[in-house]
Amino acid sequence: MFVARIALTVCLTLGVAGGTAMALSRTPENQDAAAPISSLPEGEGQALTAEVCGQCHSVGMFANQRKSRDEWNATIGRMIEKGMEAEEDELYAISDYLTEKLGKSDQAASIPS
Ligand code: HEC
């Protein structure tokens, strides 16, 4: 009984604070539309990467990953095997973007701006 009342209080508090966000995310259509592009860091190549890498799955599935250039290139290679289509110069741009924005922290820091 006591535990239940605490849980209810927490729910109500969160409901007031996050009222707008909860109202938005409750609609299923919004969830898919809102997540993909905004989950990639801004920068040159963001739109291209979102477009090419978002064809088959959400870009959110890899936006939290951190890889070296070799590892991202290997990922790009695997996606090509799965049927990804892109021009060669687009692949280089995507590789640059992923390495710079979703690189391992020590590497990302060493890239001159
Ligand atoms: C032609 C469709 C397609 C495109 C385009 C595509 N992917 Fe994928 N991707 C897949 C499929 C299919 C899987 C496998 C999903 C699974 O493991 O269940 C996958 C899985 C992944 C995975 C997790 C498994 C792994 O091999 O690492 C990552 C990371 C990934 N994709 C990143 C990317 C990136 C980055 C791009 C853009 C360069 C991209 N994908 C574009 C189809 C695609």
Side-chain angles (χ1 to χ4, degrees), residues 52-53 55-57 61-62 65 72 75-76 78-79 82-84 94 98:
V52 173
C53 301
Q55 287 170 23
C56 306
H57 50 67
M61 77 176 284
F62 63 84
Q65 297 191 6
W72 277 123
T75 301
I76 292 172
R78 280 198 300 278
M79 297 310 130
K82 293 179 198 295
M84 182 174 80
I94 292 169
L98 291 171

Side-chain angles (χ1 to χ4, degrees), residues 58-74:
S58 160
V59 297
M61 77 176 284
F62 63 84
N64 292 331
Q65 297 191 6
R66 296 294 178 268
K67 300 177 195 266
S68 68
R69 180 178 291 276
D70 283 352
E71 290 166 336
W72 277 123
N73 286 347

